């Protein structure tokens, strides 16, 4: 076994309370030893106690954190919606129908164009410390276009989500029931081999509770696990449905009743908050404090998409969560790493402990708190993914 030690880490966040102080398991003057062959963590602890290694990297006192886990994104798309954003900043409210603009552009794009755009955004995210990401279909809305989106995405991540139920396809505007039949039938058959997850936008202007239930249960019958776009624009049945069906995550969670919060607290479904969407649409912020105080597991993600949250920056979303969603810096970092892992039902990412994937980011800062303290500053100086220094390289 060949190993590499990353040493002289000023402050290390492990997300393992048994290995350090506080809920983040922080270790001062720390080191991480990587098994180069497996790309996993072999040892974590004080630098003075680190075992000998075949190679070394000096962190020069920088803080280190687990790689960000971005558990909600929409990266297989084409086109630009700058004009829509500009108009919205002048007072027009966000509506789900704007997705149709991207559907037209995505259908017209070649496979090569879609993949090049995907890879560009992955490189962008990697430079900012994201080492695990989920991404969805949802901008094709035909059997062929949804399947090719998932095929393209599956070459770059295992966390691929079938979202044929993003909105009712424009081709079925007069017959939504027929589109639900397509999404739960022929389209699902073509898409399931490329996907791990099934998702639905349960919202006014998209799919109601009964339609969402039919779509999710059909996906589950094909072996896909559920996640739900829930309660983003209005109060609705999405959160309750997610908990009932044991979905891994209910995403957005902006408009919640006390019953919704209680259901999340009592179930296994993670509440994934997407502050980039509220920032980009000037919408009401999700109340993270309310969820956390109720004992709900919270994740943070970018919702990177061309219409309502065109950011790939987890540090930016973390800063928004601290400033505008009443999270502490510690809570926000945990939610952007370990919380995202739980939203994907993963135990091998989002933490730094023996056996976990060696995904970590060094910060040009003495503490992770600087991610919120210095918003917009490119603090990520170096990234390891699966034990390899990969900043600036493609993830493929």
């Amino acid at each position: 076994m060949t190993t590499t030690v990353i040493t002289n880490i000023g402050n290390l966040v492990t997300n393992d309370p048994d290995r350090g102080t506080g809920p983040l398991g922080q270790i001062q003057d720390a080191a991480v030893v990587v098994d180069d062959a497996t790309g996993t963590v072999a040892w974590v602890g004080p630098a003075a106690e680190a075992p000998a290694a075949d190679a070394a990297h000096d962190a020069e006192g920088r803080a280190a954190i687990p790689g960000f886990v971005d558990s909600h994104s929409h990266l297989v798309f084409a086109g630009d919606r700058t004009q829509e954003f500009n108009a919205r900043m002048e007072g027009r409210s966000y509506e789900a129908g704007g997705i149709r603009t991207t559907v037209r552009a995505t259908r017209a794009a070649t496979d090569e164009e879609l993949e090049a755009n995907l890879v560009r955004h992955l490189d962008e995210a990697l430079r900012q410390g994201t080492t695990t990401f989920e991404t969805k279909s949802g901008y094709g809305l035909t059997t062929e276009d949804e399947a090719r989106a998932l095929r393209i995405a599956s070459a770059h991540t295992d966390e691929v989500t079938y979202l044929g139920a993003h909105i009712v396809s424009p081709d079925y505007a007069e017959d939504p029931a027929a589109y639900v039949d397509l999404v739960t039938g022929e389209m699902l058959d073509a898409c399931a081999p490329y996907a791990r997850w099934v998702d639905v936008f349960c919202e006014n202007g998209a799919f109601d509770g009964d339609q969402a239930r039919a779509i999710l249960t059909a996906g589950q019958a094909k072996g896909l696990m559920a996640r739900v776009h829930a309660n983003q624009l209005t109060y609705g049945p999405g959160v309750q449905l997610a908990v009932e069906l044991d979905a891994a995550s209910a995403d957005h969670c902006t408009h919640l009743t006390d019953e919704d919060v209680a259901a999340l607290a009592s179930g296994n479904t993670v509440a994934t908050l997407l502050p980039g969407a509220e920032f980009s649409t000037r919408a009401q912020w999700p109340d993270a404090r309310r969820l956390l105080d109720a004992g709900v597991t919270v994740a943070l993600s970018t919702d990177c998409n061309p219409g309502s949250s065109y950011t790939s920056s987890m540090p930016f979303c973390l800063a928004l969560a601290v400033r505008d969603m009443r999270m502490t810096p510690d809570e926000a970092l945990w939610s952007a790493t370990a919380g995202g892992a739980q939203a994907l039902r993963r135990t091998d990412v989002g933490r730094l402990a023996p056996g976990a994937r060696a995904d970590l980011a060094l910060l040009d800062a003495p503490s992770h708190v600087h991610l919120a303290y210095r918003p917009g500053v490119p603090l990520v100086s170096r990234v390891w993914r699966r034990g390899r220094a990969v900043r600036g390289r493609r993830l493929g």
Side-chain angles (χ1 to χ4, degrees), residues 13-16 39-41 65-71 129-134 157-159 196-197 333-360 384-387:
V13 171
T14 68
N15 282 339
D16 184 346
T40 60
V41 175
I65 61 173
F68 293 117
V69 180
D70 190 346
S71 60
T130 298
T131 52
T132 302
F133 67 95
E134 177 270 2
T157 180
D158 295 331
E159 303 298 345
R196 184 179 183 219
W197 304 96
L333 179 64
W334 189 94
S335 295
T337 51
Q342 289 198 26
L344 295 174
R345 295 195 168 160
R346 297 276 295 269
T347 60
D348 61 326
V349 296
R351 64 190 183 96
L352 292 170
R357 229 168 65 174
D359 293 353
L360 68 153
W384 279 261
R385 184 172 185 268
R386 299 183 187 270

Side-chain angles (χ1 to χ4, degrees), residues 178-376:
Y179 186 66
V180 173
D181 289 342
L182 177 67
V183 168
T184 58
E186 173 192 302
M187 187 185 289
L188 173 61
D189 291 341
C191 291
Y194 301 108
R196 184 179 183 219
W197 304 96
V198 60
D199 196 348
V200 60
F201 191 5
C202 184
E203 187 62 71
N204 289 344
F207 299 90
D208 65 25
D210 291 340
Q211 292 169 326
R213 180 190 302 278
I215 290 161
L216 293 171
T217 55
Q220 289 175 320
K222 282 284 187 179
L224 304 181
M225 293 182 287
R227 46 201 327 105
V228 184
H229 281 62
N231 301 51
Q232 176 186 5
L233 306 177
T234 58
Y235 295 97
V239 164
Q240 297 281 346
L241 181 61
V243 175
E244 176 192 334
L245 297 181
D246 193 33
S249 182
D251 297 24
H252 288 290
C253 294
T254 307
H255 299 274
L256 300 179
T257 65
D258 289 344
E259 291 75 17
D260 293 331
V261 175
L264 287 165
S266 65
N268 298 316
T269 300
V270 174
T272 298
L273 308 184
L274 310 169
E278 280 70 38
F279 175 87
S280 298
T281 60
R282 287 181 173 163
Q284 173 184 321
W285 296 102
D287 191 344
R289 184 80 270 135
R290 179 187 182 196
L291 289 164
L292 290 164
D293 289 348
V296 176
T297 300
V298 171
L300 288 175
S301 189
T302 64
D303 190 20
C304 186
N305 75 82
S308 61
S309 183
Y310 200 10
T311 180
S312 59
S313 175
M314 288 289 279
F316 173 66
C317 291
L318 185 151
L320 290 179
V322 171
R323 169 61 179 80
D324 292 304
M325 289 162 45
R326 300 197 296 159
M327 299 182 82
T328 69
D330 284 11
E331 290 168 339
L333 179 64
W334 189 94
S335 295
T337 51
Q342 289 198 26
L344 295 174
R345 295 195 168 160
R346 297 276 295 269
T347 60
D348 61 326
V349 296
R351 64 190 183 96
L352 292 170
R357 229 168 65 174
D359 293 353
L360 68 153
L362 289 184
L363 308 178
D364 277 330
S367 164
H368 65 278
V369 177
H370 280 233
L371 291 166
Y373 179 42
R374 305 192 67 208

Side-chain angles (χ1 to χ4, degrees), residues 89-113:
M89 293 302 102
E90 295 173 353
R92 186 172 71 194
S93 62
Y94 170 63
E95 297 178 355
I99 294 166
R100 295 181 181 88
T101 304
T102 303
V103 169
R104 288 192 294 271
T106 302
R107 288 180 177 181
T110 66
D111 289 7
E112 291 74 19
E113 289 168 337

